[in-house]
Amino acid sequence: MAKILVIEDDAATADFIVKGLEEAGFAADRAGGGRDGLFLATDGSYDCIVLDRMLPGIDGMAVLAGLRGAGIHTPVIILSALGAPEDRVKGLTDGADDYLTKPFTFAELQARIGLLIRRGSAAAVAPQTVLRHDDLEMDLLSRRVRRAGRPVELQPREFRLLEFLLRHAEQVVTRTMLLEGVWDYHFDPGTNVIDVHLSRLRRKVDDGFARPLLHTVRGVGYRLGTEA
């Protein structure tokens, strides 16, 4: 039975979520403030945390920072009435795994919790520490990348981008897939952030080699593969 922690100061909302989770077969604990929520969350026994952004004591973003700073990577879904793009971006880039705006339906919240738990379970069952395609190799533990034995120095976001492409080698990945899988955006920010990072990554991975591995599929997306 998956165990969920709900950190929410509004009693009616918290009761609604906890009751729904228990009826759906989850075990659910509740905290009404940021300090209590952080204390409970740091024992690491939860499969997912539902976190209100505006809390008494310390707010949800401070709770999230405390968890990630303590090395606790339990999936976190932020609940908030703040739904502007910049608010969502801040929540996701500061360590949340999902961001759901109020008002919300319980069915959607339950679906998102289930997805995060399944992702965590799949990763725990079959961890993969080295990714390879052709003469390109990525070690996820040492965070080292080599092509034909030559080191490739990457910035953190470039590393994450290449990891995503390696996990989908020889497949076309769309901009939406990259925004969600690499930047954790569940909306299009309307910038050229993907193009800029792909361009930098292509220079580092392909320059000096006769056969490029990173390809643009016009009108569709990108592909890492041995054929153009």
Side-chain angles (χ1 to χ4, degrees), residues 49-172:
I49 298 169
V50 179
L51 176 64
D52 185 20
R53 183 164 175 171
M54 293 181 285
L55 293 167
I58 58 175
D59 67 17
M61 299 308 297
V63 172
L64 181 60
L67 288 174
R68 298 308 186 230
I72 296 173
H73 300 290
T74 304
V76 172
I77 299 177
I78 288 181
L79 288 182
S80 180
L82 302 175
E86 56 269 25
D87 295 316
R88 294 167 60 90
V89 168
K90 179 172 176 54
L92 294 168
T93 55
D94 283 3
D97 299 273
D98 203 348
Y99 194 110
L100 184 60
T101 56
K102 298 178 180 180
F104 61 93
T105 65
F106 180 77
E108 182 177 5
L109 176 61
Q110 181 183 343
R112 294 187 183 214
I113 289 173
L115 177 60
L116 290 178
I117 291 175
R118 288 194 298 274
R119 285 178 181 172
S121 298
V125 169
Q128 189 175 7
T129 61
V130 178
L131 303 177
R132 295 183 180 90
H133 189 74
D134 196 59
D135 58 356
L136 183 64
E137 179 179 292
M138 169 181 283
D139 189 317
L140 299 175
L141 296 181
S142 67
R143 300 189 69 80
R144 292 176 181 171
V145 176
R146 294 179 180 274
R147 181 163 184 196
R150 186 184 77 182
V152 179
E153 300 296 331
L154 299 178
Q155 296 298 315
R157 187 69 68 177
E158 296 167 347
F159 186 95
R160 190 171 176 184
L161 176 57
L162 183 59
E163 177 186 351
F164 189 91
L165 292 168
L166 276 166
R167 291 188 184 277
H168 297 81
E170 299 295 353
Q171 301 174 29
V172 176

